């Protein structure tokens, strides 16, 4: 009995540490491909240099990389990459960047030059500070800001200034819009690239102009890359809707996204309303929209996500019962430790002791 209770306590702590809303999205490709992507997106690379046996590496992956704050910040500003330093291209990179401890958190520019690094795991607050420090080291916007304050409004200055702000993780849309007002022909590759890079929110000028040029942009960037960029921008606007409690922004983003892909717009809006009401802690509406979302688009991953969200909140029993259904379905579809821990947490929360004991045994078998 003691072992069962101890297991539950540990799982509860882990459950509460994990993010309900998002996590760092890691690029699945080689280091060279990550460099190419960083160059295209005007970002630097965050490289998690880890080893498969490293305990602190696993803890960071579970308790830091999985948090919404980390996902929001690192997905916006970096190309994120995880590489086992003892496999594949890992040993060569370990020699190049002098990795001698795990994890080592590396920040590398598109040319392959080391910008900043940190040895050892970090809690979420220091991990976010680390990212800010890395961005500050590539922030060259000050030199352009001085010329701007002196009155230089040439297109060349505005374009360079906007990109410097973007690279440095600073607000860039004001200067980007000033550059946009100096231009007339958006069919050129240079200007099309600019629109693509600065279509950061669905409710900005660059996004609207990119939609006007979408035929050429699709051909230049590729269908999936183009749609992915629009979706990222729409999600940024949905996030702003939460911050300012402005639901009209979600409708605006969906309406604009529909001009590019109606199916994608419907999927985006369904998710956006769930996240909106969760952020506002309007649980009756959050439950209503979660059910709709799961019915139409749900898979094991989404079921698990919502089970965690509702399980984590301080709610009435009826909400936990819905969350338990989702957790059970997710675990049955994908019997993993992660999904099982969420399922167990909710069983214990609802005092279903016999089912919890049975699941503990099943999880033990999965672990071995």
């Amino acid at each position: 009995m003691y072992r069962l209770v101890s297991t539950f306590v540990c799982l509860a702590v882990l459950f509460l540490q994990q993010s309900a809303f998002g996590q760092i999205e890691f690029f699945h490709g080689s280091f060279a491909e990550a460099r190419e992507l960083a160059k295209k997106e005007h970002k630097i690379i965050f490289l998690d240099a880890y080893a498969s046996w490293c305990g602190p590496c696993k803890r960071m992956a579970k308790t830091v990389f999985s948090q919404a704050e980390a996902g929001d910040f690192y997905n916006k500003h970096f190309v994120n990459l995880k590489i086992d330093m003892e496999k594949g291209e890992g040993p060569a990179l370990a020699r190049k960047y002098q990795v001698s401890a795990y994890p080592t958190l590396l920040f590398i520019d598109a040319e392959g030059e080391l910008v900043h690094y940190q040895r050892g795991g970090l809690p979420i607050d220091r991990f976010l500070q680390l990212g800010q420090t890395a961005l500050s080291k590539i922030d060259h916007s000050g030199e352009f800001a001085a010329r701007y304050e002196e009155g230089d409004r040439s297109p060349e200055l505005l374009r360079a200034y906007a990109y410097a702000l973007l690279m440095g993780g600073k607000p860039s849309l004001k200067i980007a819009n000033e550059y946009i007002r100096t231009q007339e022909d958006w069919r050129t590759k240079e200007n099309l690239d600019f629109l693509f890079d600065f279509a950061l929110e669905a409710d900005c000028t660059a996004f609207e102009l990119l939609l006007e040029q979408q035929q050429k942009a699709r051909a230049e960037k590729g269908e999936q890359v183009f749609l992915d960029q629009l979706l990222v921008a729409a999600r940024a606007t949905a996030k702003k809707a939460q911050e300012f409690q402005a639901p009209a922004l979600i409708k605006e983003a969906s309406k604009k996204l529909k001009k590019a892909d109606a199916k994608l717009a419907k999927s985006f809006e369904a998710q956006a309303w769930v996240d909106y009401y969760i952020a506002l802690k309007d649980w009756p509406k959050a439950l209503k929209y979660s059910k709709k979302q799961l019915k139409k688009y749900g898979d094991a991953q989404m079921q698990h996500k919502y089970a965690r969200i509702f399980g984590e909140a301080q709610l009435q029993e009826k909400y936990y019962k819905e969350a338990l259904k989702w957790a059970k379905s997710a675990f049955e579809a994908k019997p993993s430790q992660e999904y099982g821990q969420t399922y167990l947490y909710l069983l214990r929360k609802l005092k279903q002791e016999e089912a919890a004991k049975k699941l503990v045994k099943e999880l033990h078998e999965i672990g071995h």
Side-chain angles (χ1 to χ4, degrees):
M1 175 60 73
Y2 172 77
R3 184 174 297 175
L4 180 61
V5 172
S6 297
T7 300
F8 167 65
V9 171
C10 292
L11 293 177
V13 171
L14 176 60
F15 181 90
L16 291 171
Q17 285 175 327
Q18 291 176 327
S19 162
F21 294 98
Q23 60 185 1
I24 294 182
E25 297 172 1
F26 286 95
F27 174 69
H28 299 289
S30 68
F31 181 66
E33 289 168 338
R35 282 180 54 191
E36 284 300 312
L37 183 59
K39 188 177 296 184
K40 289 178 182 177
E41 296 189 352
H42 300 275
K43 295 180 178 179
I44 59 174
I45 296 167
F46 160 59
L47 172 57
D48 172 30
Y50 74 98
S52 60
W53 48 263
C54 166
C57 302
K58 294 175 182 178
R59 283 195 293 275
M60 277 208 77
K62 280 185 175 289
T63 64
V64 177
F65 297 162
S66 62
Q67 291 203 37
E69 287 179 282
D72 287 346
F73 182 77
Y74 274 74
N75 294 340
K76 180 177 181 180
H77 296 297
F78 304 104
V79 171
N80 304 299
L81 188 65
K82 289 174 69 74
I83 294 181
D84 187 332
M85 292 290 106
E86 297 180 344
K87 297 177 182 177
E89 61 182 336
L93 290 171
R95 287 191 296 272
K96 180 175 181 178
Y97 296 111
Q98 300 180 0
V99 175
S100 58
Y102 304 111
T104 294
L105 310 174
L106 302 167
F107 295 86
I108 301 164
D109 68 21
E111 302 305 317
E113 297 298 318
L114 184 64
V115 173
H116 191 51
Y117 74 96
Q118 166 73 40
R119 290 193 179 97
L122 295 173
I124 182 64
D125 56 342
R126 290 181 58 198
F127 182 59
L128 293 172
Q129 290 172 6
L130 180 69
Q132 290 280 13
T133 301
L135 289 177
S136 71
K137 293 195 172 186
I138 60 162
D139 181 11
H140 303 297
S141 62
E143 57 191 82
F144 299 111
R147 290 169 56 189
Y148 179 86
E149 293 301 324
E150 291 169 0
D152 189 345
R153 297 296 189 275
S154 65
E156 294 76 19
L157 180 281
L158 293 172
R159 183 184 178 88
Y161 188 12
Y163 272 113
L165 290 168
L166 182 67
M167 283 287 290
K170 293 182 175 180
S172 57
L173 288 181
K174 175 181 178 295
I175 303 301
N177 285 339
E178 288 195 45
Y179 173 75
I180 286 171
R181 288 194 289 271
T182 70
Q183 302 300 299
E184 295 180 359
D185 186 2
W186 292 105
R187 295 170 298 176
T188 67
K189 186 179 186 310
E190 183 182 61
N191 275 346
L192 194 63
D193 286 344
F194 188 88
L195 292 181
F196 189 82
D197 294 335
F198 287 92
L200 302 174
E201 299 172 358
D203 55 318
C204 75
T205 304
F207 189 94
E208 294 170 359
L209 289 170
L210 185 62
L211 283 176
E212 291 178 8
Q213 301 296 327
Q214 63 174 292
Q215 186 174 353
K216 188 170 178 60
R218 287 171 191 265
E220 287 275 345
K221 302 295 182 181
E223 183 75 10
Q224 195 57 54
V225 172
F226 172 75
L227 291 177
D228 286 347
Q229 178 69 359
L230 295 187
L231 184 57
V232 167
R235 286 173 176 166
T237 295
K239 187 75 174 176
K240 192 160 63 173
Q242 297 171 25
E243 293 170 1
F244 295 99
Q245 296 187 29
L249 287 174
I250 293 176
K251 295 179 181 179
E252 180 183 348
S254 180
K255 184 178 180 181
K256 290 180 178 177
L257 195 56
K258 189 177 180 180
K259 294 178 181 178
D261 190 298
K263 186 177 179 181
L264 184 64
K266 286 183 179 179
S267 175
F268 154 75
E269 188 169 0
Q271 179 69 62
W273 285 122
V274 177
D275 292 342
Y276 179 79
Y277 288 116
I278 287 171
L280 267 62
K281 301 190 186 309
D282 185 338
W283 296 108
K285 287 185 179 178
L287 180 62
K288 173 185 174 182
Y289 281 96
S290 293
K291 286 181 175 179
K292 286 184 177 181
Q293 173 80 339
L294 287 170
K295 185 177 181 180
K296 194 158 188 179
Y297 304 103
D299 56 12
Q301 184 179 13
M302 189 179 293
Q303 288 174 326
H304 177 246
K305 172 186 173 182
Y306 290 157
R308 282 167 51 189
I309 291 171
F310 284 87
E312 184 177 273
Q314 298 299 314
L315 301 170
Q316 296 171 349
E317 186 175 290
K318 67 177 183 179
Y319 294 98
Y320 299 139
K321 287 182 178 179
E322 289 292 339
L324 180 63
K325 291 178 188 176
W326 301 334
K328 181 181 180 182
S329 179
F331 180 69
E332 288 175 348
K334 185 179 178 182
S336 66
Q337 284 288 336
E338 182 185 8
Y339 288 14
Q341 288 166 7
T342 300
Y343 184 20
L344 178 60
Y345 178 84
L346 286 160
L347 285 172
R348 298 293 294 177
K349 203 172 186 77
L350 288 165
K351 297 181 172 56
Q352 297 187 21
E353 303 295 341
E354 291 303 315
K357 289 177 184 178
K358 183 179 178 182
L359 180 58
V360 167
K361 292 180 182 179
E362 193 172 346
L363 289 173
H364 181 75
E365 292 174 1
I366 291 173
H368 291 77

